[in-house]
Amino acid sequence: MPRSDHGAASEPTNSEAAKRNVPGDGVPYATVPDDAPLNSAERGDFERLEDIIRRGIQTFVEVGNALAEACERHLYRDQFGSHAATLRERHHARALRAAAKALSEIADAIDGGAQ
């Protein structure tokens, strides 16, 4: 963990924690058993994250629909030679790959949990 000027351990930043797959408090997520009840802080965190997920899903659908319409109507043709070129140039391809990977991991977790 990074050290402050006073020699005490400082809290990891969100990006540092994300790289290690741990929350801001530095405790790995996997240390909590699935059957452990949520404490009040965790309940609040879950509600906050669920709200983000609900809003994000709507945005995700809107983005997908916008990309599909732009492709179907060839609206990229003024600036780019193809839909693939539009995705590359606008960096949408990287974001779409990341989203696809995340959705695949979620599906795998759901499928694995259902067995």
Side-chain angles (χ1 to χ4, degrees), residues 92-105:
H92 298 318
R94 185 177 303 128
L96 290 170
R97 281 194 298 273
K101 181 180 180 201
L103 289 174
S104 176
E105 290 171 0

Side-chain angles (χ1 to χ4, degrees), residues 64-76:
N65 288 338
L67 286 168
E69 183 176 345
C71 179
E72 289 167 4
R73 295 178 57 199
H74 301 268
L75 298 178
Y76 51 80

Side-chain angles (χ1 to χ4, degrees), residues 11-91:
E11 291 296 317
T13 64
N14 285 341
S15 60
E16 289 169 337
K19 290 177 195 170
R20 294 191 323 265
N21 195 26
V22 295
D25 62 8
V27 178
Y29 294 117
T31 61
V32 180
D34 284 342
D35 60 350
L38 297 178
N39 62 38
S40 61
E42 290 172 322
R43 227 174 273 109
D45 287 344
F46 185 68
E47 290 172 10
R48 177 182 56 81
L49 295 170
E50 282 286 306
D51 186 49
I52 292 168
I53 291 165
R54 276 190 291 277
R55 289 190 325 261
I57 286 174
Q58 180 60 39
T59 300
F60 185 78
V61 170
E62 289 172 1
V63 168
N65 288 338
L67 286 168
E69 183 176 345
C71 179
E72 289 167 4
R73 295 178 57 199
H74 301 268
L75 298 178
Y76 51 80
R77 66 187 186 273
D78 227 15
Q79 297 178 11
F80 304 97
S82 69
H83 185 62
T86 304
L87 295 176
R88 280 192 305 275
E89 193 69 27
R90 298 282 192 208
H91 306 287

